[in-house]
Amino acid sequence: MNSKEKDEYVNQTMERMTSMEPYYCNPFDNPKELKERASDLLKQLNSLGDNAQEEKESIMRQLFGTYNKLAFPGDGFKCDYGFNIHTHGLTVINYNCVILDTSPVNIGAGAFIAPGVCLACSGHAVDPGQRSQGIGTSAPITLEENVWIGANATVCGGVTIGADSVIGAGSVVTHDIPAGVIAAGVPCRVIRPITEKDKIRPEDILF
């Protein structure tokens, strides 16, 4: 493959990966430099201490497709490519979170993502023969505004979680979750709506 053909292939790959449409692929055919770049930036990011905020912000601007200064990834953060991650306001990403961003991941303002959460756009073919051939799947993930995802939950490709909703710890989210609800379980299901009764009384708050 000459340089012109390689550039064309990379452009076609980027067009497919950054589309909001699901797709099938063999991920091993993706240009290695796309993943290597992210790996290098993540090593730099995870080597920095708490007082190196400016350096962290510089790396995040290079890594994420859309970076907001109020996005805070914790130690141990990992992703596949970075360019498919789009933060749109305050985004608290706790320790050891993973985003498999083979498709776009849009994270609305006010997101709280607890330790050990995995947002997995990518998957594998269900048919064992196709899976052994390396055929994979990918679909985008959207977290609308003010979503809270509990510790060690997994959100699968193609899922949208509605604004203000809470996902219980350890859940596996395989289908869309509406706005304003508490949902939990494997697979994740709506438990109940969030109501005024969920507010903590001001007199019970210590500050």
Side-chain angles (χ1 to χ4, degrees), residues 35-139:
K35 213 163 189 177
E36 289 171 351
R37 175 182 179 275
S39 179
D40 289 343
L41 289 170
L42 288 167
K43 287 176 184 175
Q44 295 176 48
L45 180 68
N46 287 311
S47 70
L48 295 171
D50 293 338
N51 295 324
Q53 191 57 37
E54 287 188 11
E55 292 93 330
K56 287 185 176 182
E57 288 178 10
S58 175
I59 292 169
M60 296 304 297
R61 281 193 292 270
Q62 298 173 65
L63 181 64
F64 281 7
T66 307
Y67 174 64
N68 186 288
K69 195 172 182 179
L70 295 176
F72 304 100
D75 293 343
F77 174 72
K78 297 288 185 181
C79 65
D80 273 336
Y81 298 101
F83 59 74
N84 259 332
I85 301 172
H86 306 280
T87 60
H88 301 284
L90 174 66
T91 305
V92 179
I93 302 174
N94 219 310
Y95 305 119
N96 298 319
C97 289
V98 175
I99 301 180
L100 305 180
D101 60 316
T102 52
S103 287
V105 176
N106 279 283
I107 303 174
F112 280 69
I113 301 175
V117 166
C118 178
L119 307 181
C121 293
S122 60
H124 299 286
V126 174
D127 178 83
Q130 291 182 323
R131 189 165 60 248
S132 66
Q133 294 169 10
I135 296 175
T137 65
S138 187

Side-chain angles (χ1 to χ4, degrees), residues 14 19 24-25 28 43 54 93 95 119 139 157 160 169 171-172 178 191 197:
M14 288 289 288
S19 168
Y24 300 98
C25 69
F28 297 108
K43 287 176 184 175
E54 287 188 11
I93 302 174
Y95 305 119
L119 307 181
T160 294
S171 298
V172 178
I191 296 174
K197 292 181 179 180

Side-chain angles (χ1 to χ4, degrees), residues 21 29 45 47-48 55 74 76-77 85 93 99 121 134 148 153-154 156 158 162 169 177 182 192 194 200 203-204:
E21 295 298 321
D29 290 337
L45 180 68
S47 70
L48 295 171
E55 292 93 330
F77 174 72
I85 301 172
I93 302 174
I99 301 180
C121 293
W148 173 23
T154 297
C156 297
I177 300 296
I182 295 173
R192 64 174 177 84
I194 296 171
I200 300 171
E203 57 267 31
D204 292 335

